[in-house]
Amino acid sequence: DFGEGGKKIMMFDWNKDSLVDWADTILSDAEAAKYVWGVGLHWYSGDFFDQVWYVSHNYDKPVLGTEGCNCDYDLPNYPDDWSRAARYAHDIIGDMTNGVIGWTDWNLLLDVETQSGSGGPNHAGNNCFAQIHVVGGELEITPSYYAYGHFSRYLTPGSVVFPYTASGWGSSNVEGLSARRPDGS
């Protein structure tokens, strides 16, 4: 913690595909590493859970998922509300089971302003989706809200995540995680 109010400095805060290179460069340098509280990462380049695992297990710094959102450019791969909700669950499960301590989204609420049902544009000119949309002045809850909320509700601060393996009939496409919460449940 540094400066007035105990500021915490996070390094990287970018896409996972180059996470190891940056972590090795900065965190292997004792002079640079002493200023770093943690490591931030985004989901836009793909899973790269091996890089998340490497950094979370080789450096004594917390790793936090700091950004992810579904935008119009994702529509060919995630064309509907349910596929976007599944994308959130997949990434959160993959990150958490590989050592990430928490996960946050780029947008939680957006005014819908396009025919695709997205809002924006954001600073990069992208129209994106959110867990909650405002449509004609009314709140519209999307499936992503429930997927995201499931993790927020059941993985309370201080929970410890354990490896999870699904087995048995029909389990080849099942993803999940297990955790022990601070209250022992």
Side-chain angles (χ1 to χ4, degrees):
D1 298 17
F2 308 98
E4 187 177 330
K7 310 286 186 288
K8 295 180 183 332
I9 298 174
M10 296 186 71
M11 63 157 276
F12 192 61
D13 200 31
W14 193 242
N15 297 325
K16 295 183 239 181
D17 59 340
S18 55
L19 180 60
V20 168
D21 291 338
W22 279 91
D24 283 347
T25 299
I26 295 170
L27 299 177
S28 293
D29 179 334
E31 188 61 23
K34 72 181 184 182
Y35 295 104
V36 175
W37 173 82
V39 180
L41 54 85
H42 301 180
W43 77 353
Y44 304 111
S45 60
D47 292 344
F48 294 96
F49 298 135
D50 58 328
Q51 293 208 30
V52 175
W53 187 94
Y54 175 89
V55 172
S56 68
H57 287 81
N58 286 287
Y59 295 103
D60 189 25
K61 304 289 183 184
V63 180
L64 179 67
T66 56
E67 184 180 323
C69 71
N70 291 292
C71 296
D72 280 349
Y73 59 76
D74 294 311
L75 285 172
N77 295 316
Y78 306 98
D80 58 66
D81 287 343
W82 286 102
S83 63
R84 290 188 287 274
R87 183 183 189 197
Y88 276 108
H90 169 76
D91 199 75
I92 293 169
I93 289 167
D95 281 350
M96 297 295 287
T97 57
N98 283 285
V100 167
I101 63 162
W103 207 97
T104 190
D105 194 13
W106 179 256
N107 301 302
L108 295 176
L109 177 111
L110 286 173
D111 286 330
V112 171
E113 298 180 3
T114 67
Q115 288 183 345
S116 69
S118 60
N122 64 13
H123 71 286
N126 298 317
N127 291 308
C128 300
F129 299 92
Q131 283 75 14
I132 304 170
H133 292 154
V134 178
V135 181
E138 299 292 320
L139 295 180
E140 179 182 286
I141 307 299
T142 71
S144 292
Y145 172 86
Y146 296 103
Y148 198 80
H150 191 83
F151 295 99
S152 299
R153 179 174 296 137
Y154 296 110
L155 291 176
T156 57
S159 295
V160 177
V161 175
F162 297 96
Y164 169 87
T165 303
S167 60
W169 181 84
S171 64
S172 63
N173 293 321
V174 175
E175 291 184 275
L177 59 81
S178 54
R180 178 173 293 124
R181 299 187 326 176
D183 66 3
S185 63

